[in-house]
Amino acid sequence: MVAFGAIWIFPFKYSGSCSESDAAAGECFGGVSRIRSKVDELRSEYNNSILLDGGDQYQGTLWFYKFGGQIHAHFMNIIGYDAIGLGNHEFDNGVSGLVPFVVNASFAVLSSNIDLSDTPLQGKIAKSKTFTIGGEKIGVIGYTTKSTPYISNPGDAPSTEQAQGSYPFVVKTSASGENVLVVQDYAFGKYLGRLHVNFDDAGKVTNFNGNPVLLDGSVPKDPELESMVHSLLPQIEALQNEPVGSTHVLLQGDRKVCRVRECNLGNLICDGMLRQNLRHSDDTYWSAVGIAVVNAGGIRSSLNIGAITVGDVIKVHPFRNTVDIVELRGEAVLKMLEHAAFEWTQDVSDLSGSFLQVSGMRIVYDMTRAPGSRVVDVQMRCSKCKIPHFEPLNKTEVYQIVMNEFMVSGKDGYSMIPEEMIRKHTIGNVDLEILIDTIKQDSPVIQGLEDRIRFLHEIKEDSLISKLVQEKECVSDSAPSLTFTLPFMTLGLLLVLNGVKLLSSEV
């Protein structure tokens, strides 16, 4: 038996969009045309095979935005899937949004742990299905995860992913001591999982082998499906004129702003990423994820006051990066923030896209210091708390941070992320879709600046002390006749003059 396995309809580059030049350079992966081609090849090699999918077909692409789940059912029918277990993303649009996928699927749609009574899907999703393959009965049970699962990467790492264990990963059951084979082939249809298992007459596993197959440019595309995909492309392109929402404020995405300081479009993007990925709260914590970051290089355009279309949002996020949750210790977070400031400059001809926009952080930089020591203060929004508030960065604490796959993979110089991350939760939402949803929910948008990123030399300009310094004169309320002149002060000076206290802290 060979089990294959979520698919992106169109090829992608490192979980982003794929251009013609990318394809020519061999940097594009996956797509339904390659999946069908490789599935047909393996089916011809192995008579006894079953094609399974672990769910999360409902990913935030323009294809899903335009056609919904029906398009995924259509292509999966043609490829010939046998069964799918529902993932948590299948419910992104509610139960009603799942109906078109289920009713159009010619394969089994399974979940053993969801209650769909009194919904349009009552009776349409089974807990399990038994297949007879080569004279043997194979039981397939569906399970829908309660939270975003940790994604195991493929064995032998034929591409950029690093394996988190053997493929398959073998677990012995506590009851019988039998081997249970656990497999995961990354995400986005970049790989086709391949597992070859032999059973004895009693149905026990005797031996096994396999490895995910990388669907790169060496895998030919099925001409029938490739033709279907290209026939639908004009409808995807026409989406650009579709209205999304509106904004009452200029959403500033200019590189001369977002690569130098806090920008309100960066705030909106990060808040939207965070909102999309909030975990279910419980009696103790309001959320497991309270922080998001985005590299300013991923913000490519502003959104002007007025109506916003899909095309406008595409100009902001043309790369269509997927979004992940990464676990980092505070020490690694500090390295990340130092890198964000490492190449900082106000020279508009040499602005670095590695500067970060944030949500759930308050950062103070001193750009007069040497690179690598410019972070003066960091406050992190707590997640293990009943009421969200900001606390000083703890170098030993583990923080869950939402960020795009571009950063997760170490691009833009963020090598400390893949090197020091404790684990990664692959979500699969696309930044473009997240921003579209955020604008829809928030329209009319009135996002402003919130002092999430500040510079040491500017703080005194906004404080009582700095006003007094600039005026070089102070009058005590308790002694109106007493006046005095202050020379230039650095932060950290505590003055007690006739009952007047001025306090600030130097870091």
Side-chain angles (χ1 to χ4, degrees):
M1 181 185 72
V2 178
F4 316 112
I7 60 176
W8 275 28
I9 292 170
F10 207 64
F12 70 95
K13 174 187 178 183
Y14 304 119
S15 74
S17 60
C18 181
S19 66
E20 292 183 6
S21 60
D22 293 329
E27 297 179 342
C28 296
F29 304 91
V32 291
S33 303
R34 285 196 180 105
I35 291 176
R36 187 188 192 189
S37 174
K38 181 56 69 173
V39 166
D40 287 350
E41 175 189 324
L42 291 174
R43 277 176 168 153
S44 66
E45 183 178 350
Y46 299 96
N47 292 326
N48 302 325
S49 65
I50 184 170
L51 180 58
L52 306 175
D53 188 275
D56 281 357
Q57 290 292 336
Y58 276 36
Q59 302 289 353
T61 66
L62 286 178
W63 291 85
F64 178 67
Y65 181 83
K66 172 63 179 178
F67 299 110
Q70 185 172 348
I71 192 70
H72 292 276
H74 175 71
F75 284 118
M76 291 178 73
N77 287 341
I78 295 174
I79 294 170
Y81 279 79
D82 293 297
I84 181 176
L86 290 179
N88 56 309
H89 280 291
E90 264 70 73
F91 295 91
D92 282 355
N93 290 348
V95 172
S96 61
L98 181 56
V99 171
F101 176 81
V102 174
V103 299
N104 285 283
S106 60
F107 45 88
V109 181
L110 308 174
S111 180
S112 62
N113 63 321
I114 57 175
D115 182 5
L116 294 172
S117 57
D118 300 322
T119 75
L121 289 177
Q122 182 174 349
K124 293 182 170 60
I125 295 177
K127 295 181 182 295
S128 63
K129 183 176 175 64
T130 301
F131 297 86
T132 301
I133 301 173
E136 298 292 334
K137 290 185 177 181
I138 305 295
V140 179
I141 303 171
Y143 175 80
T144 303
T145 182
K146 296 179 180 179
S147 59
T148 306
Y150 175 56
I151 300 299
S152 301
N153 289 325
D156 291 350
S159 187
T160 57
E161 288 71 45
Q162 295 300 313
Q164 299 299 308
S166 58
Y167 184 101
F169 185 78
V170 181
V171 179
K172 287 188 177 294
T173 62
S174 57
S176 63
E178 295 182 10
N179 290 334
V180 175
L181 309 181
V182 181
V183 293
Q184 172 72 317
D185 62 351
Y186 191 54
F188 320 120
K190 183 174 182 177
Y191 300 88
L192 183 65
R194 173 184 172 274
L195 178 63
H196 190 176
V197 185
N198 290 330
F199 300 90
D200 61 17
D201 293 339
K204 294 184 178 181
V205 174
T206 57
N207 59 70
F208 52 85
N209 62 74
N211 204 48
V213 179
L214 178 64
L215 300 178
D216 60 8
S218 67
V219 178
K221 297 180 180 180
D222 177 80
E224 180 186 4
L225 276 192
E226 188 69 2
S227 177
M228 288 183 184
V229 168
H230 281 273
S231 70
L232 296 171
L233 280 178
Q235 296 184 60
I236 299 298
E237 293 166 354
L239 270 180
Q240 298 195 43
N241 296 321
E242 186 171 314
V244 171
S246 64
T247 176
H248 282 350
V249 300
L250 170 65
L251 294 170
Q252 181 64 266
D254 193 303
R255 66 198 308 272
K256 295 190 294 293
V257 179
C258 294
R259 299 186 182 202
V260 176
R261 59 180 61 249
E262 175 188 352
C263 63
N264 66 336
L265 182 53
N267 290 349
L268 183 72
I269 289 169
C270 290
D271 288 352
M273 291 166 57
L274 196 58
R275 185 188 305 167
Q276 286 278 338
N277 295 288
L278 286 177
R279 303 289 185 85
H280 294 292
S281 60
D282 56 30
D283 292 337
T284 305
Y285 307 148
W286 72 277
S287 169
V289 184
I291 300 166
V293 298
V294 66
N295 58 307
I299 304 172
R300 311 300 288 190
S301 179
S302 298
L303 294 171
N304 293 318
I305 296 173
I308 301 172
T309 65
V310 172
D312 295 328
V313 184
I314 290 174
K315 291 177 183 177
V316 175
H317 278 329
F319 308 121
R320 302 174 200 175
N321 284 304
T322 54
V323 171
D324 298 332
I325 298 174
V326 172
E327 293 185 9
L328 295 172
R329 294 198 184 277
E331 187 172 8
V333 174
L334 185 58
K335 291 179 183 179
M336 179 182 74
L337 296 177
E338 286 289 3
H339 179 70
F342 193 89
E343 296 181 343
W344 182 91
T345 177
Q346 290 180 302
D347 180 358
V348 295
S349 66
D350 192 31
L351 298 174
S352 173
S354 61
F355 190 74
L356 292 180
Q357 299 295 319
V358 303
S359 178
M361 288 188 190
R362 292 173 180 167
I363 310 162
V364 178
Y365 291 113
D366 182 357
M367 297 306 188
T368 65
R369 294 184 179 183
S373 61
R374 290 175 164 176
V375 177
V376 171
D377 183 51
V378 185
Q379 300 290 318
M380 308 286 280
R381 181 160 53 201
C382 67
S383 59
K384 298 178 179 180
C385 52
K386 291 187 176 181
I387 301 176
H389 60 275
F390 286 84
E391 301 172 338
L393 174 74
N394 184 331
K395 290 186 177 182
T396 62
E397 186 171 340
V398 176
Y399 297 96
Q400 296 197 68
I401 305 175
V402 184
M403 62 181 69
N404 61 41
E405 172 64 22
F406 183 79
M407 290 184 60
V408 174
S409 60
K411 304 296 194 305
D412 247 351
Y414 284 101
S415 58
M416 75 293 298
I417 296 176
E419 289 172 358
E420 300 193 35
M421 68 180 175
I422 298 170
R423 57 175 14 188
K424 179 182 75 170
H425 306 264
T426 299
I427 301 168
N429 289 331
V430 178
D431 55 9
L432 173 66
E433 265 295 300
I434 293 173
L435 185 53
I436 288 174
D437 289 344
T438 300
I439 293 170
K440 283 183 174 181
Q441 294 169 19
D442 291 357
S443 286
V445 179
I446 55 171
Q447 177 69 57
L449 300 175
E450 300 175 350
D451 286 339
R452 301 181 184 187
I453 302 169
R454 304 188 71 188
F455 301 96
L456 193 61
H457 73 276
E458 293 179 342
I459 292 178
K460 62 179 179 292
E461 298 173 5
D462 300 330
S463 68
L464 174 61
I465 293 179
S466 67
K467 292 178 182 178
L468 297 175
V469 171
Q470 291 169 13
E471 295 172 2
K472 296 186 178 180
E473 194 169 275
C474 178
V475 180
S476 168
D477 291 337
S478 61
S481 61
L482 174 63
T483 64
F484 51 90
T485 300
L486 299 176
F488 176 78
M489 296 188 302
T490 59
L491 296 179
L493 191 60
L494 170 62
L495 297 179
V496 181
L497 296 173
N498 205 19
V500 179
K501 266 189 185 179
L502 306 177
L503 174 63
S504 184
S505 59
E506 184 177 20
V507 262

